[in-house]
Amino acid sequence: LSVVVLISGAGSNLRALLEATAGADFPARIVAVGTDRDAAGLAHAEAFGVPTFAVSWSNFPDRAAWGAALLEQIEEWNPGLVILSGFMRLLPPDVVAALSPRLINTHPAFLPEFPGAHGVRDALASGAALTGASIIVVDDGVDSGPVIAQERVPIVAGDTEDSLHDRIKLVERRLLVQAVLDIARGVIDLKEFA
Ligand code: GRF
């Protein structure tokens, strides 16, 4: 299974995926890593010799043009799966339509709780005792697609957004690697979500 991963930030989840898929017997390969900006996480791809591409938001007049250029870069790798891992841009509907259902996203909350760009902060502010991590198939909404894997993560007294996010990321990485395995082995059939 050829996988393209899109990031916007530190790429710590990407690093976990690179480590997990590096094994010769792992049934998936990360063939390229893309970003919408000069993401620090590209360094992880370079360290593993994985090609990278950047389609910088600021280089395009609008979302549609940016999305078309991003889709063109992604399709060059003909991936069986595209993973949004800390990718902080909404894809235009035509890009989602072109990639669906082989497009998944990881979100640091127990969806449908706390969708959006501040899920960790919102969960902490809510006073809830539990939040979570979720892997979804991307649809046209914001973190609204069908959940393919999720797990509860405790919120601990004294947690900061960073300490909670770090605890969530440990779970996200495990769910991500397992989801890639399940998709590669046909345990999860994404066509069910088309
Ligand atoms: C992850 O928790 C992801 O779910 C969220 O942003 C974080 C990205 O972290 N959208 P990293 O870039 O993988 O370190």
Side-chain angles (χ1 to χ4, degrees):
L1 176 69
S2 295
V3 180
V4 167
V5 182
L6 300 184
I7 64 168
S8 296
S12 64
N13 288 342
L14 164 67
R15 187 188 58 221
L17 279 171
L18 286 164
E19 287 163 356
T21 54
D25 53 355
F26 195 90
R29 273 283 163 281
I30 297 177
V31 294
V33 173
T35 184
D36 63 317
R37 65 194 77 185
D38 183 20
L42 291 179
H44 297 308
E46 286 150 14
F48 279 81
V50 172
T52 62
F53 59 87
V55 180
S56 298
W57 177 261
S58 50
N59 289 353
F60 295 85
D62 54 42
R63 184 181 298 274
W66 169 78
L70 181 68
L71 180 60
E72 192 181 330
Q73 288 285 329
I74 292 168
E75 295 290 21
E76 274 188 27
W77 299 96
N78 191 27
L81 178 64
V82 179
I83 301 176
L84 306 181
S85 181
F87 189 68
M88 301 309 277
R89 292 266 184 224
L90 275 183
L91 297 173
D94 60 319
V95 175
V96 173
L99 295 175
S100 178
R102 54 196 168 104
L103 175 63
I104 65 175
N105 179 36
T106 175
H107 183 73
F110 200 81
L111 292 172
E113 298 167 1
F114 309 119
H118 305 292
V120 179
R121 186 184 72 188
D122 296 345
L124 193 56
S126 76
L130 291 172
T131 181
S134 306
I135 312 289
I136 61 170
V137 178
V138 175
D139 67 5
D140 277 350
V142 177
D143 300 322
S144 54
V147 172
I148 57 173
Q150 65 181 167
E151 186 172 308
R152 281 291 183 185
V153 176
I155 298 175
V156 174
D159 258 336
T160 61
E161 186 176 340
D162 284 348
S163 64
L164 177 54
H165 205 166
D166 287 345
R167 189 176 312 117
I168 292 169
K169 282 184 177 182
L170 292 176
V171 174
E172 274 187 282
R173 285 165 210 160
R174 185 161 36 78
L175 294 182
L176 259 181
V177 170
Q178 188 58 51
V180 172
L181 263 179
D182 288 345
I183 292 163
R185 289 172 171 161
V187 170
I188 292 176
D189 178 3
L190 291 178
K191 286 192 288 299
E192 287 173 20
F193 301 98

